[in-house]
Amino acid sequence: MNQKQNYIFIGVDVHKEQHTAVAIDWWAKVLGDFTFESKVSEYPKVMERISKIIPEGMIPVWGLEDVGGTVDH
């Protein structure tokens, strides 16, 4: 079974034009953050950047901001 400290948490703040990702460890130490365009073609680059941020052997856990905002009519 994996120890809790073996996880890296990656939170993504999503927006229409761009997203921001932040990676933190179990102790809330920021390992890295970056902003990227909201395009499917950017996702391989995101994965490449994340693989450089997280230490080898760590398990990434992703969390995305809820985008269920309301619209005024």
Side-chain angles (χ1 to χ4, degrees):
M1 184 169 186
N2 293 313
Q3 298 293 323
K4 294 182 251 185
Q5 61 268 25
N6 292 339
Y7 292 96
I8 298 297
F9 303 96
I10 305 159
V12 182
D13 186 13
V14 295
H15 298 281
K16 187 173 183 176
E17 300 295 325
Q18 66 183 20
H19 306 321
T20 300
V22 177
I24 63 171
D25 65 13
W26 180 254
W27 299 274
K29 177 183 175 195
V30 176
L31 302 175
D33 62 271
F34 58 94
T35 299
F36 57 98
E37 289 184 80
S38 177
K39 295 181 181 178
V40 173
S41 62
E42 291 294 306
Y43 294 170
K45 296 175 196 172
V46 170
M47 296 307 295
E48 186 176 313
R49 287 190 75 173
I50 288 296
S51 69
K52 291 178 182 178
I53 290 173
I54 63 173
E56 187 174 332
M58 300 299 281
I59 302 164
V61 177
W62 293 80
L64 303 175
E65 174 191 30
D66 181 13
V67 295
T70 59
V71 177
D72 292 333
H73 293 288

